[in-house]
Amino acid sequence: MTDSKTTSTKNIKVYKDLMGENTKWAAKTRALLQEHNVRMLNIIGSPGCGKTSLLEAMVDKLGCNINFAVLEGDVETTNDAVRLARLNIPVFQLLTGGSCHLEAKLVHYALQDLQLDQLDMVIVENVGNLVCPAEFDVGELAKIAVLSVTEGEDKPLKYPLLFTEASAVILSKTDLLPHLTFDVDACLEAISRVNNQIPIFQVSSTTDTGMDEIVNWIKQYGAEE
Amino acid sequence: MTDSKTTSTKNIKVYKDLMGENTKWAAKTRALLQEHNVRMLNIIGSPGCGKTSLLEAMVDKLGCNINFAVLEGDVETTNDAVRLARLNIPVFQLLTGGSCHLEAKLVHYALQDLQLDQLDMVIVENVGNLVCPAEFDVGELAKIAVLSVTEGEDKPLKYPLLFTEASAVILSKTDLLPHLTFDVDACLEAISRVNNQIPIFQVSSTTDTGMDEIVNWIKQYGAEE
């Protein structure tokens, strides 16, 4: 690769090579999306934090105003894509086959198969992982961090990169709060210590709490660019 | 590095280099632990699946029979080490500074600072991540996978490597089951499809359910080698 930077240790050089390659594909994707006037969001959170359930709950609210498709990232299985396809939205499953995050190249290839001229937005559901996906730009306009209240209030401090990179945080599964010792204020404080510029949405897809607010934010975001 | 294997693409070669280096450090760790007759377990699971709470709940039950120390792996913060240090067990915090998993070299360095002759066991709590830590042997005798019932029953199929590699699965936070739609039988079935040889412990550290069984398994495991 022509843009690799040599450093004193081989391992560090290697990671720069890989990220350089990823950045190139992310840039190609941005150009492709801009050409078709499509915005892309990248949803990131731990396994089981409720990303797919949030998307399921958003479909009706978002779908009446915005034509969107979903790219479902997973290590294995097509379970999540099957769940969303039932709701009659275009959904494509991206399987990493072991890798812990989506890379820009795979996302770019998938986008080429979409009818971009018929879309306003693409929503990427990244592989369930609070660490690695935040490091890999896939060409999105914004990252959305999802943290469920079952995970503990200190996670933004323990995994700060995602919360630094994100343009919004969804605090999910708030319907479970009465059964947990989770301290919402401590969590909000932890998020603000990492990033005090971002909106935080307290949401339950089960009880439809806070869903209108996040959907309105997404709509507004989509229209801003 | 002398053991690198060349392949047709640069990226694949790179990963082999890194894993080769990791394997060397894991082997050094196994030799060190064997010399001192110490067993090491590696606990792996998503952020917030309850790994630290399980360790807190195990301390008294395990501590009366086995002298053990804990190595706490995190991307950032010493929160978990502080929690365990309150219980008067030797605990060391390993910060990866961004990396999504513990590597064998860092674990090896930490072990050199422990009084190994006074220990029977070292328990590693890996970085919260259901994907990457399973790929990196740190010199442990066994991996324990922790999956909380808030994460969904299909996770063993979506993240199969950990469940293939693990010697036991802890299904945690079972006290929350009455408030969830989680299907325990479907989860047990999913685990058995990936690995039908491993014991599965249904556990709540909050209500002290199943804790004796997992502690007895750990004790027995420790004595087997």
Side-chain angles (χ1 to χ4, degrees):
Chain A
M1 296 169 203
T2 55
D3 67 340
S4 66
K5 294 175 185 172
T6 53
T7 63
S8 57
T9 76
K10 187 177 179 183
N11 286 359
I12 290 173
K13 170 176 173 285
V14 164
Y15 281 118
K16 283 190 179 174
D17 276 345
L18 292 170
M19 295 302 276
E21 181 73 355
N22 192 72
T23 302
K24 277 188 213 166
W25 283 102
K28 283 187 189 184
T29 288
R30 284 204 173 80
L32 177 70
L33 293 173
Q34 197 161 21
E35 182 189 333
H36 294 276
N37 198 27
V38 173
R39 290 94 190 204
M40 189 163 79
L41 302 178
N42 184 5
I43 300 186
I44 300 175
S46 298
C49 69
K51 297 181 291 301
T52 311
S53 296
L54 286 166
L55 285 171
E56 287 176 313
M58 277 180 203
V59 165
D60 283 344
K61 295 176 191 287
L62 198 57
C64 58
N65 295 80
I66 290 180
N67 291 316
F68 72 102
V70 173
L71 300 183
E72 272 294 336
D74 276 299
V75 176
E76 297 283 358
T77 85
T78 56
N79 294 1
D80 290 351
V82 168
R83 282 169 62 181
L84 289 166
R86 283 191 201 119
L87 305 173
N88 296 316
I89 52 168
V91 56
F92 290 75
Q93 181 79 52
L94 310 188
L95 292 182
T96 67
S99 179
C100 53
H101 59 273
L102 289 177
E103 291 188 17
K105 188 176 181 178
L106 186 61
V107 171
H108 191 83
Y109 282 173
L111 289 174
Q112 289 177 323
D113 280 342
L114 291 177
Q115 303 286 330
L116 289 176
D117 285 333
Q118 296 172 23
L119 293 175
D120 303 305
M121 185 176 276
V122 173
I123 300 181
V124 176
E125 182 186 335
N126 218 305
V127 176
N129 186 331
L130 208 51
V131 191
C132 316
E135 295 174 31
F136 288 80
D137 178 8
V138 296
E140 72 277 344
L141 265 185
K143 293 180 177 71
I144 300 176
V146 182
L147 175 67
S148 74
V149 296
T150 59
E151 293 176 60
E153 50 278 278
D154 64 345
K155 296 301 173 288
L157 302 175
K158 292 176 77 177
Y159 307 91
L161 180 63
L162 173 59
F163 296 88
T164 306
E165 291 272 320
S167 299
V169 176
I170 298 178
L171 198 56
S172 65
K173 306 195 186 185
T174 55
D175 58 293
L176 293 175
L177 282 171
H179 315 295
L180 304 170
T181 57
F182 186 88
D183 182 337
V184 173
D185 289 338
C187 186
L188 299 179
E189 163 70 15
I191 295 169
S192 73
R193 282 173 63 187
V194 177
N195 186 341
N196 61 10
Q197 301 293 319
I198 45 175
I200 303 166
F201 299 96
Q202 299 183 41
V203 167
S204 165
S205 59
T206 304
T207 60
D208 194 35
T209 304
M211 291 303 302
D212 288 332
E213 287 77 4
I214 182 65
V215 167
N216 286 337
W217 182 86
I218 288 176
K219 285 179 185 171
Q220 194 180 24
Y221 199 91
E224 271 177 5
E225 173 80 349
Chain B
M1 299 169 201
T2 55
D3 67 340
S4 67
K5 294 176 185 173
T6 55
T7 64
S8 58
T9 76
K10 188 175 179 184
N11 287 359
I12 291 174
K13 171 175 173 283
V14 164
Y15 280 118
K16 283 192 179 173
D17 276 346
L18 291 169
M19 295 303 275
E21 181 75 352
N22 192 73
T23 303
K24 276 189 212 165
W25 284 102
K28 282 187 190 184
T29 289
R30 284 204 172 80
L32 177 70
L33 293 173
Q34 195 161 24
E35 182 189 333
H36 294 276
N37 198 27
V38 173
R39 290 95 191 203
M40 189 163 79
L41 302 178
N42 184 3
I43 300 185
I44 299 175
S46 298
C49 71
K51 298 181 291 301
T52 312
S53 296
L54 286 165
L55 284 172
E56 287 176 313
M58 278 180 202
V59 165
D60 281 345
K61 295 177 192 287
L62 198 57
C64 58
N65 295 80
I66 290 180
N67 292 316
F68 72 102
V70 173
L71 301 183
E72 273 294 338
D74 276 298
V75 176
E76 296 282 358
T77 84
T78 56
N79 294 2
D80 290 351
V82 168
R83 282 169 62 181
L84 289 165
R86 285 190 199 119
L87 304 173
N88 296 316
I89 53 168
V91 55
F92 291 74
Q93 181 78 53
L94 310 188
L95 292 183
T96 67
S99 179
C100 53
H101 59 273
L102 289 176
E103 291 188 16
K105 188 175 181 179
L106 185 60
V107 171
H108 191 83
Y109 281 174
L111 288 173
Q112 289 177 322
D113 280 341
L114 291 176
Q115 304 287 329
L116 290 175
D117 285 333
Q118 296 172 23
L119 294 174
D120 303 306
M121 183 175 278
V122 173
I123 300 182
V124 176
E125 182 185 335
N126 218 305
V127 176
N129 187 331
L130 208 52
V131 192
C132 316
E135 296 175 31
F136 287 80
D137 178 9
V138 295
E140 72 276 345
L141 264 185
K143 294 179 177 70
I144 300 176
V146 182
L147 175 67
S148 74
V149 296
T150 59
E151 292 175 60
E153 51 277 278
D154 65 345
K155 296 301 172 289
L157 302 175
K158 292 177 75 177
Y159 307 91
L161 181 62
L162 173 59
F163 297 87
T164 307
E165 291 271 321
S167 299
V169 176
I170 298 178
L171 199 57
S172 64
K173 305 194 185 185
T174 55
D175 58 293
L176 293 175
L177 281 171
H179 315 295
L180 304 170
T181 57
F182 186 89
D183 182 336
V184 173
D185 288 339
C187 185
L188 299 180
E189 164 69 15
I191 295 168
S192 74
R193 282 174 61 188
V194 178
N195 186 341
N196 61 10
Q197 302 292 319
I198 45 173
I200 303 167
F201 299 95
Q202 298 182 43
V203 167
S204 165
S205 58
T206 304
T207 59
D208 195 33
T209 304
M211 291 302 302
D212 288 333
E213 288 76 4
I214 182 65
V215 167
N216 286 337
W217 181 86
I218 289 176
K219 285 177 184 171
Q220 195 180 22
Y221 200 92
E224 270 176 6
E225 171 82 347

